[in-house]
Amino acid sequence: MKAFQSAIRRKGEEASAAGGTEAMEAVLRQVVEEAPDRAQRREAIIGEAWTGLSGWRA
């Protein structure tokens, strides 16, 4: 599980560096739209992994 969260966090860091909050929100939207039936779970996982990243939701 730690490796999974680390990989997601790295993607958040990359999105943040590439385009800040807008890029991070775009990545999240894309992931959620790919599996609407799992949208809530995916958003929760990403939100947890990205907590504390620059530009991410407070």
Side-chain angles (χ1 to χ4, degrees):
M1 186 65 165
K2 273 285 201 207
F4 179 65
Q5 284 184 326
S6 292
I8 293 170
R9 186 163 183 92
R10 275 192 305 277
K11 292 298 179 187
E13 290 168 343
E14 291 170 8
S16 178
T21 303
E22 288 181 23
M24 295 172 85
E25 291 290 347
V27 168
L28 177 62
R29 266 192 315 276
Q30 182 178 359
V31 168
V32 166
E33 289 172 359
E34 288 180 14
D37 59 318
R38 291 180 270 171
Q40 284 184 315
R41 181 70 179 132
R42 287 179 169 206
E43 188 167 0
I45 290 168
I46 290 171
E48 185 176 329
W50 289 3
T51 296
L53 291 180
S54 177
W56 190 235
R57 302 170 181 168

